Every structure is written in C-alpha cells, then in structure tokens.
Amino acid sequence: MWGILYGFQMQFNRRGMELSAGGFPNIVHSPENSVEGCIYCLSLEQMALLDNAVGCPKFCIKVVLPVWMINCMEPDKLGVAQYCVPAVLYIARDTWVHSEPLCNSYNLW
C-alpha cells in the first residue's frame, strides 16, 4: 500500500563502507516536508532478514513512526479512506551519515 510520512525528507546522505560508494537514501527530520513510499506487511522472520540486509543495528536504527495510508488506487471512483498506522523505518546512525547530503530527493528529477 501507499503511505506518506509527514515531517521528514529523503536525503542521500547515508554513506557506504567506502566514501567512493556515494550516498544512499536516508530520512531526516524536516517539519515542512514529507516522504512517500510503499508499506509492506512483513513477518518477524522477514523483518529479521531485512534488518540483516540493511545492517541494523550497526549502520542504522529501527524506529516506529506514524504513516498515513490510503485504501485505494482510484479515489475518484471509489472514495478515499485515510488512516494512520505505525510503521517501522530505518534511519542511519550519525556515524554513517555524510555531513552534507550528496543529493536531495528534489534534485533527482
């Protein structure tokens, strides 16, 4: 499902193992912005695999934040029901963040 997280912005400021790897996506607090994305329902086993793949807890922390959801892809035809759900997100640890973002999400287009 599609969701929106208010009060955050996507930045490519998460560093890789080497500086030449560039910046990887991360979210940072930004009251005037929002981040859109997909919400997935995962089992505990799948969540453990994802934790390992993203390097949690070494490279990032896992937080639960409120994400607004929409219940349909065609709101003009079916009507819209919006609701808020708790969602698990990963945020890079300070030691794994570039001091300046290498690219902002709005610079990608």
Side-chain angles (χ1 to χ4, degrees):
M1 293 193 80
W2 172 82
I4 187 165
L5 173 65
Y6 291 102
F8 286 83
Q9 177 182 12
M10 183 171 69
Q11 288 187 348
F12 288 81
N13 67 350
R14 181 177 170 192
R15 66 180 181 87
M17 295 298 287
E18 297 181 17
L19 188 58
S20 62
F24 294 90
N26 187 31
I27 59 171
V28 297
H29 183 254
S30 179
E32 65 278 357
N33 290 295
S34 60
V35 177
E36 296 182 35
C38 292
I39 304 295
Y40 299 96
C41 185
L42 302 178
S43 68
L44 291 176
E45 293 81 16
Q46 292 168 322
M47 199 71 208
L49 290 171
L50 186 57
D51 287 350
N52 187 54
V54 299
C56 184
K58 181 178 180 180
F59 304 117
C60 59
I61 60 169
K62 193 166 31 175
V63 298
V64 177
L65 296 171
V67 174
W68 285 93
M69 306 275 301
I70 186 170
N71 72 339
C72 65
M73 296 297 288
E74 299 179 36
D76 292 338
K77 290 184 181 179
L78 304 174
V80 175
Q82 291 186 343
Y83 52 97
C84 191
V85 297
V88 174
L89 294 103
Y90 296 97
I91 299 177
R93 290 189 176 276
D94 289 343
T95 54
W96 289 94
V97 172
H98 291 283
S99 58
E100 292 294 324
L102 300 178
C103 176
N104 287 317
S105 58
Y106 52 81
N107 290 336
L108 295 175
W109 311 105

